[in-house]
Amino acid sequence: MPPPVVPATLQLTTIPAAAVLQGIRVSGPVTRDQLVASTGLSAATVNRQVHALAASGLIVERPDLCDAGAIGRPKNPLTLDRDSLCVAGIHVGARRSVLAIADLGGRTLYSHAVATPAGPTKAAVEALCAQLKELADRFSGRRLIWGGAAIGGAVDVDTGVVDHPVLGWRHAEIGPILARILGVPVSVCEHVEAMAAAELLLTHPRVDGGSGLFIYARETAGVALTIDSRVHVPGRGAGTIAHLPVNAPVIAGGYARLQQVIGRTAARTASELRGIPVTASPIVDERARVLGESVALLRDVINPDSIVVAGDAFSAHPDGLAPVQAAFNAATTMSWPLEITPSRFGVRVQESAAVVVALSVLYADPVAAVV
């Protein structure tokens, strides 16, 4: 029987083993006493979780890291086992896909991009999954414990089946095929939701309020909502912001949809029609304004505590996010200021999405995940 497809768990959970594992990931090397202080769990509970996590091969004691000058019986620091295990993930893009192998802490061991295959759906999916398997096999000294796929379109997280209109994929069984080829459990997730989850699970916690927007804009545009350290996953699939109306005289000749003006294709078309370089100020300035006004519209509707953005469309301007922020400030109707923050993964945001989908179930319930 093939390994299962398991829905990704895009949140920080309060399960004791998960809290201890996250504490070790964020602060390690760390002692049991320090974990008691950081997690709020009792010493007995922390000890039980440490024993269970060590027995599962997820953490190790490091007596070599003890403070040589400590008084009394030394307390062995704990770290993740970054040497024995790995996960494999893929971010499927419209033109290119990113394959990644990562250790238990989410650190990428190797990644590279490949052209997303064209042709019949099943053959294209199998080709991508086989390439990921080939990459994972290069790390034969590690035990592969999970696989993940982050992809646009409509994702059924329970079955791993995807409809991707841009690629022309209908009922693409990426979850079952990936599980069969890798030989381990896998999770499949909408890609912008996965990017938002990476900000929660693979970095040091932000000091923010309880809600946030994550907005991605490249050739496609998407948005995810986080509430109390959890990515909201709508029961009927991710929403879309591609249809937001925008005024873009330079790029689109007037009013258009956000999807039509943000990408490189739109910029090249505007460049050819108007006889100006694709990096000319009128084009990049207009795109920054459109993005800032669109983000302001979303902010005014949802009123989040924080906003994180990612994707080439946001980073393409020579002045970075400054013109986007200026357009946002001019357009928002809310009275209190809010700074737009770039993703902490930068150009590796697709890679982070692939990795976090492969790690999310493990970090939600680590002992059960590796049984």
Side-chain angles (χ1 to χ4, degrees):
M1 189 173 181
V5 175
V6 182
T9 310
L10 307 182
Q11 63 180 311
L12 295 171
T13 68
T14 57
I15 293 174
V20 170
L21 187 66
Q22 271 286 5
I24 295 172
R25 184 195 69 79
V26 171
S27 303
V30 61
T31 66
R32 288 169 171 80
D33 288 348
Q34 291 169 327
L35 287 170
V36 169
S38 65
T39 64
L41 300 171
S42 69
T45 299
V46 167
N47 276 327
R48 284 195 299 272
Q49 306 315 314
V50 165
H51 286 307
L53 293 169
S56 299
L58 300 177
I59 65 172
V60 291
E61 293 202 44
R62 295 289 305 274
D64 57 304
L65 297 179
C66 283
D67 183 358
I71 298 175
R73 182 180 177 182
K75 296 180 178 179
N76 292 339
L78 302 160
T79 66
L80 298 178
D81 186 343
R82 292 181 175 269
D83 300 320
S84 303
L85 307 173
C86 68
V87 296
I90 182 169
H91 176 273
V92 182
R95 291 185 174 84
R96 67 167 202 159
S97 296
V98 177
L99 312 177
I101 306 297
D103 69 12
L104 185 60
R107 179 184 60 188
T108 300
L109 302 172
Y110 186 83
S111 71
H112 70 270
V114 298
T116 302
T121 298
K122 184 177 181 181
V125 170
E126 288 187 337
L128 275 177
C129 294
Q131 290 180 81
L132 185 59
K133 168 65 172 173
E134 180 183 357
L135 182 59
D137 286 345
R138 300 180 192 177
F139 294 83
S140 57
R142 294 172 178 263
R143 176 190 167 201
L144 179 66
I145 57 174
W146 212 276
I151 184 170
V155 179
D156 186 327
V157 297
D158 294 315
T159 64
V161 174
V162 178
D163 288 335
H164 198 303
V166 175
L167 290 173
W169 289 2
R170 289 283 299 167
H171 201 72
E173 296 184 336
I174 189 168
I177 292 173
L178 186 59
R180 171 173 55 81
I181 289 178
L182 290 182
V184 296
V186 305
S187 300
V188 183
C189 180
E190 196 279 332
H191 70 148
V192 181
E193 292 170 359
M195 294 173 192
E199 297 288 327
L200 295 175
L201 299 175
L202 299 184
T203 64
H204 287 267
R206 292 181 184 268
V207 183
D208 286 333
S211 64
L213 280 178
F214 185 98
I215 303 168
Y216 176 76
R218 197 180 182 206
E219 291 297 326
T220 60
V223 62
L225 173 65
T226 60
I227 304 172
D228 293 334
S229 299
R230 175 181 59 85
V231 179
H232 174 59
V233 180
R236 297 189 179 182
T240 178
I241 58 173
H243 65 293
L244 289 181
V246 298
N247 184 17
V250 175
I251 299 176
Y255 283 93
R257 303 295 181 181
L258 179 63
Q259 186 73 63
Q260 297 172 292
V261 304
I262 60 171
R264 294 179 182 177
T265 301
R268 282 195 297 267
T269 300
S271 171
E272 293 167 358
L273 288 174
R274 288 153 184 78
I276 57 178
V278 71
T279 56
S281 290
I283 292 178
V284 293
D285 287 348
E286 181 165 277
R287 180 164 55 184
R289 176 187 58 78
V290 165
L291 286 169
E293 291 174 354
S294 298
V295 174
L297 176 62
L298 295 171
R299 185 268 179 106
D300 290 355
V301 172
I302 298 173
N303 195 17
D305 298 302
S306 64
I307 296 175
V308 178
V309 299
D312 291 354
F314 283 108
S315 61
H317 198 284
D319 295 327
L321 280 177
V324 177
Q325 183 74 57
F328 170 88
N329 293 343
T332 183
T333 62
M334 306 298 288
S335 59
W336 54 279
L338 184 61
E339 182 180 0
I340 299 174
T341 306
S343 166
R344 290 183 281 193
F345 294 97
V347 297
R348 302 172 78 96
V349 67
Q350 293 94 354
E351 179 184 297
S352 75
V355 170
V356 79
V357 178
L359 280 172
S360 70
V361 176
L362 178 72
Y363 270 92
D365 195 352
V367 176
V370 296
V371 170

